[in-house]
Amino acid sequence: MSKRIDVSDLNVYYGDFLAVEGVTMAVEARSVTAFIGPSGCGKSTFIRTLNRLHEVVPGTRVEGKVLLDGQDLYGPAVDPVVVRRQIGMVFQRPNPFPTMSLRDNVLAGIKLNNSRMRKSEADDVVERSLRGANLWNEAKDRLDTPGSGLSGGQQQRLCIARAIAVEPDVLLMDEPCSALDPISTLAIEDLIAELKENYTIVIVTHNMQQAARVSDRTAFFNIAGTGQPGKLIEMDDTTKIFTNPGEKATEDYVSGRFG
Amino acid sequence: MTVDTAARTESTPLTHRQLPRRIVPVVLAVSIAAGAGLAALVGFSLPALAILSAVVFTVAITTVSGVVEGRRKAVDRLVTTLVYSAFAVALVPLISVVWSVLDNGLVRFGADFLNTSMRNVTGLHDQEAVEGIGPYIGGAYHALLGTFLITALATAISVPVGLMTSIYLVEYGRGKLAKAIRFFVDVMTGIPSIVAGLFAASLFAVLFGVGTRNGFAGAVALSVLMIPVVVRSSEEMLRIVPNELREAAYALGVPKWRTIVKVVLPTAVSGIASGVTLAIARVVGETAPLIVTAGFTSSINSNPFSDWMMSLPAYVYSSAMRPLSGSEPQPSFDRAWAAALTLVIIVMALNLIARLIARIFAPKTGR
Ligand SMILES: Nc1ncnc2c1ncn2[C@@H]1O[C@H](COP(=O)(O)OP(=O)(O)O)[C@@H](O)[C@H]1O
Ligand SMILES: [Mg+2]
């Protein structure tokens, strides 16, 4: 179910602006990989290239390779829609579909793709996904109410349920807790620890403690100055990055002397 | 207690002298009295009373407030008064239109008027009715039916074209083509309605022979006016659908077209539907384009694809400009007013419906 990702020499552009330069990294299957770094260094931009979501912004382009278990996502005959079905994403701001009920939000990936499913089967998916996202107990009595009626933390867990309902190989999370209170944040961190059993998880976070708590490996991105491209400075086991990093810039950042 | 007062006078006071709340009605009453006096000097009339009272009130309240409450409060009162006056002025035409349409229209308006056509009604009937020998007869059923059919056809043409254009502009259009389309839509918005009518008339003359007039030609003329309105309003509504929702759908592996159909359109549907309703309200009273395309008739015609078709605006126009009886035009004028009242009711109903649609289809928060 879960797959590894290998990125080599990736350059990411917005028009002529090179936002991320020369990233090479390996993301292991069934592990949590955290991206840290100061604002604007291209973490969001980079993570969005991993499911080919970057290209929905007009005028953008990507150079280099992203291999999902050996297959190049940017190969000439690859359909980005198929890629996105295998690599799910959770965004910084919870974005449940406002026109859909809780239940339909969870089933969105299936229903919107017009896959037919028997009701009992759909019920199973809803329950399994909501349990997987730790939302079942709060949501089971209100499955037919609109998803936008939940609290922010519940909405974010609903978005996670929606993402795992289609059983992707990889789950990308771009600062999933930055709009949430500490209790919801903790709930989501616990969830990430559970999801790691089955999924490859990549998480962008601004919170260093969070990276230290949830991730197995950490990648530090940095930027030389505004208008400069963001770069991957180093990537290593999380404990190593936080205790004994190889680069001075990483040490400054994780010890709070920078950004 | 004493300590308290001392402390308060030392620091900057947070309160200042205020006029009592009842001051506004009092000053208003005095101003109206003064306005009446002044109006009597120049020759009394209602507009003179209103204008003079407003001027007196503005000066009085500003001065009183300036003396008691200080400069900032006085300016606030002045501007508040000006804003309310502007609102009242803007309301005058609306109220007087509604009033005169109701006053004149109710003479003939009723079930009978909405249920009969003008077939076989002649000037003689009108003369007899005025002389008291016969009943008042003749109605606008044929015109109501024509307006309904023509507007429905125009909507059926404009909504798909307009909606798809706006989808193109918001979701797909980049570069020169989109810019050109947007420019031409703007140009179309400004087309005088008679030009739209002449366009449709000449189109039908080329296709089906000179002098072809039917309801469909009228619908085409109205579409020319309606499409840009639909494009503009739908475009705005599609644009305010947050990009995050589109990306959420893409991230689930939903193709773009299905994202548009199943996520973007449902999210925007309340705004689009109420925009369409307002566009209908906008064209339902168009007169000139229908006169040159659908023509006039006194009989019921329920086939928009052949023969002339009456519409409410054309009915109002012909009843008012060409009364059936030259010597007794009043019954015709009454019918014109009743038809005008019908139109006003339709437009108001459409506006209400637009609001209802916006409320009913709006995404629910469930809180
Ligand atoms: N849609 C966009 N168009 C152009 N430039 C963008 C866009 N989004 C982000 N950028 C630029 O790309 C760089 C990286 O941004 P981002 O990936 O959001 O950083 P991070 O997530 O690390 O804070 C920034 O310089 C930002 O200004
Ligand atoms: Mg970001």
Side-chain angles (χ1 to χ4, degrees):
Chain A
M1 212 162 128
S2 74
K3 292 184 177 168
R4 58 176 289 122
I5 299 177
D6 293 280
V7 181
S8 55
D9 263 328
L10 204 75
N11 294 328
V12 193
Y13 295 86
Y14 288 102
D16 291 332
F17 172 60
L18 177 59
V20 177
E21 186 180 19
V23 175
T24 300
M25 69 159 67
V27 175
E28 307 291 340
R30 288 171 203 271
S31 69
V32 178
T33 304
F35 294 172
I36 59 171
S39 275
C41 69
K43 304 179 298 295
S44 299
T45 303
F46 176 70
I47 200 174
R48 286 161 59 95
T49 62
L50 300 183
N51 65 344
R52 293 196 62 171
L53 201 57
H54 178 64
E55 66 206 50
V56 306
V57 179
T60 54
R61 93 199 132 83
V62 174
E63 293 166 359
K65 277 189 176 164
V66 178
L67 305 182
L68 181 68
D69 265 6
Q71 288 190 66
D72 188 2
L73 298 186
Y74 287 91
V78 173
D79 181 356
V81 170
V82 178
V83 170
R84 291 182 206 133
R85 282 184 197 160
Q86 297 178 31
I87 305 182
M89 182 153 186
V90 175
F91 297 81
Q92 180 168 358
R93 277 208 288 166
N95 51 4
F97 297 119
T99 51
M100 297 181 194
S101 66
L102 265 171
R103 189 185 139 86
D104 286 348
N105 260 290
V106 177
L107 292 173
I110 294 153
K111 283 200 166 174
L112 291 180
N113 282 318
N114 255 12
S115 317
R116 301 230 168 266
M117 195 178 243
R118 259 178 290 120
K119 183 164 184 308
S120 59
E121 219 177 319
D123 287 344
D124 284 349
V125 172
V126 171
E127 180 166 352
R128 184 160 34 80
S129 310
L130 285 173
R131 279 192 194 283
N134 266 335
L135 192 60
W136 177 246
N137 287 332
E138 289 143 274
K140 63 173 186 275
D141 298 325
R142 48 193 296 195
L143 288 177
D144 292 321
T145 60
S148 43
L150 300 173
S151 76
Q154 291 171 327
Q155 286 189 22
Q156 192 63 301
R157 277 179 283 149
L158 177 62
C159 291
I160 294 176
R162 178 176 71 183
I164 59 181
V166 291
E167 305 191 342
D169 299 314
V170 180
L171 196 55
L172 309 177
M173 303 176 136
D174 188 359
E175 298 189 39
C177 303
S178 66
L180 306 183
D181 60 284
I183 294 182
S184 307
T185 301
L186 217 60
I188 289 185
E189 285 180 13
D190 288 346
L191 179 59
I192 290 171
E194 286 169 31
L195 291 173
K196 172 170 110 165
E197 308 288 316
N198 294 314
Y199 300 92
T200 305
I201 293 180
V202 181
I203 177 173
V204 174
T205 175
H206 257 282
N207 180 330
M208 238 91 65
Q209 287 83 20
Q210 181 170 63
R213 278 194 301 263
V214 302
S215 73
D216 303 306
R217 289 176 64 79
T218 298
F220 172 62
F221 288 79
N222 206 352
I223 186 171
T226 40
Q228 302 288 317
K231 288 181 179 166
L232 174 63
I233 302 301
E234 72 172 302
M235 180 168 183
D236 214 324
D237 288 342
T238 299
T239 40
K240 177 121 193 300
I241 291 280
F242 282 94
T243 53
N244 184 20
E247 299 283 332
K248 175 90 171 54
T250 315
E251 190 178 348
D252 287 351
Y253 186 76
V254 297
S255 61
R257 258 171 285 170
F258 174 99
Chain B
M1 200 56 202
T2 41
V3 179
D4 208 343
T5 344
R8 199 178 293 158
T9 39
E10 266 171 35
S11 61
T12 328
L14 292 174
T15 56
H16 60 85
R17 283 195 294 164
Q18 264 185 322
L19 286 169
R21 279 183 140 217
R22 337 182 271 302
I23 194 75
V24 174
V26 170
V27 174
L28 189 61
V30 173
S31 308
I32 290 174
L38 287 172
L41 292 180
V42 295
F44 187 83
S45 70
L46 213 53
L49 169 67
I51 293 170
L52 289 170
S53 310
V55 171
V56 172
F57 177 78
T58 312
V59 173
I61 195 82
T62 312
T63 327
V64 172
S65 168
V67 170
V68 180
E69 298 177 313
R71 208 180 110 78
R72 192 164 57 79
K73 257 312 207 176
V75 172
D76 180 39
R77 294 229 187 234
L78 173 65
V79 175
T80 307
T81 312
L82 291 180
V83 168
Y84 275 106
S85 317
F87 174 65
V89 170
L91 224 52
V92 168
L94 176 68
I95 290 176
S96 69
V97 164
V98 170
W99 174 253
S100 52
V101 170
L102 274 176
D103 192 31
N104 294 296
L106 282 174
V107 177
R108 283 286 284 123
F109 187 81
D112 180 52
F113 179 77
L114 296 176
N115 273 320
T116 56
S117 75
M118 290 300 286
R119 188 163 179 85
N120 298 333
V121 179
T122 64
L124 209 58
H125 293 107
D126 280 357
Q127 279 172 23
E128 286 174 5
V130 173
E131 285 157 19
I133 335 174
Y136 285 94
I137 58 169
Y141 175 74
H142 59 310
L144 195 59
L145 181 70
T147 283
F148 176 76
L149 290 174
I150 292 173
T151 319
L153 267 177
T155 310
I157 299 170
S158 312
V159 169
V161 175
L163 190 56
M164 288 201 226
T165 307
S166 61
I167 289 176
Y168 172 77
L169 288 177
V170 175
E171 306 288 339
Y172 293 95
R174 319 256 171 252
K176 287 211 173 77
L177 182 59
K179 261 198 198 120
I181 291 178
R182 209 166 279 132
F183 173 74
F184 284 119
V185 168
D186 278 348
V187 173
M188 269 176 88
T189 316
I191 287 183
S193 59
I194 181 70
V195 175
L198 290 174
F199 157 75
S202 57
L203 179 72
F204 276 69
V206 170
L207 293 180
F208 304 107
V210 175
T212 308
R213 288 189 192 182
N214 55 39
F216 187 57
V220 170
L222 292 190
S223 302
V224 174
L225 299 170
M226 205 172 155
I227 287 171
V229 183
V230 174
V231 173
R232 273 302 183 195
S233 66
S234 311
E235 194 189 343
E236 305 245 309
M237 291 305 136
L238 292 177
R239 252 183 228 295
I240 58 176
V241 173
N243 232 344
E244 292 154 24
L245 294 182
R246 295 185 181 89
E247 295 197 341
Y250 296 152
L252 289 167
V254 181
K256 183 163 184 171
W257 69 271
R258 214 174 258 156
T259 301
I260 293 169
V261 174
K262 298 218 170 159
V263 174
V264 179
L265 286 181
T267 308
V269 72
S270 70
I272 292 173
S274 67
V276 167
T277 316
L278 291 177
I280 296 174
R282 162 85 187 66
V283 297
V284 78
E286 280 297 344
T287 318
L290 290 184
I291 289 175
V292 296
T293 50
F296 301 95
T297 172
S298 56
S299 328
I300 298 167
N301 171 14
S302 56
N303 181 358
F305 298 98
S306 84
D307 299 329
W308 292 24
M309 191 177 240
M310 197 57 146
S311 55
L312 279 172
Y315 182 95
V316 174
Y317 174 80
S318 74
S319 304
M321 302 308 288
R322 290 177 307 206
L324 283 184
S325 159
S327 54
E328 293 292 351
Q330 195 53 42
S332 272
F333 292 164
D334 289 344
R335 282 194 291 266
W337 279 110
L341 175 60
T342 316
L343 257 181
V344 170
I345 292 173
I346 292 176
V347 171
M348 288 195 168
L350 284 170
N351 277 283
L352 281 179
I353 291 170
R355 277 165 186 275
L356 274 181
I357 289 175
R359 189 164 311 164
I360 292 168
F361 286 111
K364 296 166 188 66
T365 57
R367 270 185 238 237

